[in-house]
Amino acid sequence: MTSLELTTDDAMSKGLVDEFTHCFTGECRVNVLQILFRINQVLTQNADLATLVSIILDGMRQQMRMQRGVMMLYDRHSDAIFIHDSFGLTEEERGRGIYAPGEGITGKVVETGKPIIIPRVIDSPDFLDRTRAHNKGRKQDKLAFFCVPIVLAQKVLGTICAERVYMNQRLLNQDAELLAMVASLIAPAVELYLIENVDKVRLETENRRLKSELKQRFRPTNIIGNSKPMQEVYAMVHKVASTKATVLLLGESGVGKELVASALHYNSPVADGPFIKANCAALPEALAESELFGHERGAFTSAIATHKGYFEQASGGTIFLDEVGELSLPTQAKLLRVLQERTFERVGGAKPVKVDVRIIAATNRNLAEMVAEGTFREDLFYRLNVFPITIPPLRDRGSDVITLADHFVTTYAAEIGKPIKRISTPAINMLMSYHWPGNVRELENVIERSVILAEEGVIHGYDLPPSLQTPTETGTGFSGTLEDRVTAVEYEMIVEALKASNGNVGQAATTLGLTRRMLGLRMDRHRLTYKTFRTAGLRPRN
């Protein structure tokens, strides 16, 4: 470059400066080009919002001579607009600067997505001065205020607001346009910040809230029942919950072993960790190892990616192995190693995976008998049987039947919007006299069905399934004679056979050792029909 060219360029630059200096605004704005250049550099390199905000606020204070500048962000989930960073405000003043959409000038900008310019802020009824930064005896009567939205894809993410004294309306408009351009440039970085920080904090808060609710829901005091057998269970849960000892839950199907396992987890030192449930009975033998311990990519034909098994997912928390007695002997051997060393390899992998997990197992089978039969490993049984808790069957829990029934009535009546007020005395007697082979799960299904059928706000005996119907309720009551008692026993046996066969008369007749015709005659005598047992079959709940 020649000296002549340099002189010419200098002259042109000086001319541009002079033009901006004397553009009837009273101030030169060429120096803000450096701010835009630095913003563009940050956006190109890392889009760090903290750096961008620092550049913008410094430029507003130094080059644009603002008295106050504020960057505000909008959290649409909490519907709050809050100060992210500022200058000219104290920490206390910043803390007070929270608005809702439509509230004050800032709220209106967020609500409409349009900038607002106030030449004399003191004259604006929308200026709330929530920060109380204007009550210090300063000369505030000539302050102008303007606020521009930060918008991306028609979604308002926040605002940039500023205050200063302007002697020229054109300069005020020019500065508002400049900051609107800056807001447009940084909008993608603001959205990313909100997703990674504000939304993350909100989701973490929501996660903590949900875990707290689960903890309250599954605490032992919320397991319904006050019978002596259940009081013993509560005492055992209280003693072992605060430890990381392996627990083996024993009891018939439907007694509530999963509920007790949840109570153990949510009252344990790892309550904030994951609670992973693995139904061993539902795991196909060929996939059980992969589901429990995971597999590496390419371990078998359909293994297109690395898969973390239940144990890895539960690391830092609790794994609940339901129906553990259904596992095959090879899978039992691998489970034994995890209990001993807390280490395993994924299927197709050679690298050991170490986990820190509490194990709670459950079964409705007699594991000691299975050990004697050779279908369950003795060493695994002793590893699992560290702290056994036996959950009593419903038939041994006395008045808990009615307590649970009332609870399920309240739950399902509210669910379907039906005002069920009570269970009639005959229905209560029927519930109390039944032997409940399906335990609490069966009771829940019975009550759900009865709530649907009940009318006039009362559950009557005839709303209960045929399997619970007593001879009195069906007109086959007895006064104590041998003939009447035989009739009652016959009724119960026919009901049980029809229930077991889902209303298949031929199958029920075979079970009872009768011909189809003979069973049909006895059903007519007891006023029973196979259709009742097909339409009233109890469905299992997930």
Side-chain angles (χ1 to χ4, degrees), residues 481-500:
T481 66
L482 178 61
E483 181 67 20
D484 289 335
R485 291 181 180 272
V486 169
T487 299
V489 172
E490 179 183 270
Y491 169 83
E492 290 291 340
M493 290 181 68
I494 293 173
V495 166
E496 289 296 323
L498 287 169
K499 179 187 174 187

Side-chain angles (χ1 to χ4, degrees), residues 170-211:
R170 185 175 173 185
L171 180 61
L172 171 59
N173 294 336
Q174 181 178 289
D175 283 355
E177 290 172 1
L178 175 64
L179 288 186
M181 181 171 62
V182 169
S184 178
L185 285 173
I186 68 169
V190 172
E191 182 180 49
L192 184 62
Y193 176 86
L194 286 169
I195 292 172
E196 292 183 346
N197 294 273
V198 176
D199 284 359
K200 181 181 177 181
V201 170
R202 180 186 57 80
L203 289 172
E204 288 175 349
T205 302
E206 178 70 3
N207 190 35
R208 284 193 296 271
R209 183 188 68 80
L210 291 174
K211 282 188 175 180

Side-chain angles (χ1 to χ4, degrees), residues 91-263:
E91 279 296 321
E92 186 178 354
E93 289 167 347
R94 284 178 57 177
R96 290 194 288 260
I98 301 175
Y99 301 84
E103 192 176 41
I105 299 173
T106 303
K108 281 183 166 56
V109 171
V110 170
E111 187 176 57
T112 63
K114 305 291 183 184
I116 294 178
I117 301 173
I118 310 292
R120 277 171 50 91
V121 69
I122 199 170
D123 296 335
S124 173
D126 291 326
F127 186 71
L128 303 180
D129 190 25
R130 183 152 292 167
T131 63
R132 292 182 229 154
H134 297 74
N135 297 332
K136 295 183 178 178
R138 302 171 185 167
K139 295 181 180 179
Q140 309 287 348
D141 57 326
K142 294 183 180 180
L143 273 178
F145 180 92
F146 62 92
C147 193
V148 298
I150 304 171
V151 182
L152 184 67
Q154 299 184 331
K155 183 170 67 175
V156 179
L157 308 173
T159 66
I160 300 176
C161 305
E163 292 181 46
R164 64 159 277 180
V165 176
Y166 283 92
M167 305 306 294
N168 188 307
Q169 179 68 35
R170 185 175 173 185
L171 180 61
L172 171 59
N173 294 336
Q174 181 178 289
D175 283 355
E177 290 172 1
L178 175 64
L179 288 186
M181 181 171 62
V182 169
S184 178
L185 285 173
I186 68 169
V190 172
E191 182 180 49
L192 184 62
Y193 176 86
L194 286 169
I195 292 172
E196 292 183 346
N197 294 273
V198 176
D199 284 359
K200 181 181 177 181
V201 170
R202 180 186 57 80
L203 289 172
E204 288 175 349
T205 302
E206 178 70 3
N207 190 35
R208 284 193 296 271
R209 183 188 68 80
L210 291 174
K211 282 188 175 180
S212 177
E213 286 185 3
L214 283 171
K215 189 171 182 178
Q216 289 298 312
R217 179 181 176 188
F218 290 116
R219 62 192 176 99
T221 52
N222 275 6
I223 300 176
I224 297 168
N226 294 307
S227 60
K228 185 177 179 181
M230 287 306 296
Q231 292 293 339
E232 294 173 357
V233 170
Y234 299 152
M236 299 282 276
V237 169
H238 178 72
K239 288 178 180 178
V240 77
S242 60
T243 74
K244 293 185 71 174
T246 299
V247 178
L248 179 62
L249 302 177
L250 305 169
E252 298 176 7
S253 179
V255 294
K257 294 188 288 294
E258 184 176 328
L259 192 64
V260 175
S262 299

Side-chain angles (χ1 to χ4, degrees), residues 308-348:
K308 289 185 177 181
Y310 290 134
F311 273 92
E312 272 189 270
Q313 296 173 36
S315 190
T318 302
I319 186 169
F320 174 49
L321 300 172
D322 198 10
E323 303 301 342
V324 71
E326 306 301 323
L327 291 175
S328 65
L329 287 171
T331 307
Q332 290 178 31
K334 295 182 182 297
L335 177 59
L336 177 63
R337 182 189 172 191
V338 179
L339 266 70
Q340 290 174 332
E341 304 173 13
R342 295 297 194 269
T343 303
F344 58 89
E345 287 92 29
R346 301 191 192 107
V347 176

Side-chain angles (χ1 to χ4, degrees), residues 240-244 264-273 316 358:
V240 77
S242 60
T243 74
K244 293 185 71 174
L264 285 167
H265 170 71
Y266 288 108
N267 290 273
S268 74
V270 295
D272 291 333
R358 183 186 193 170

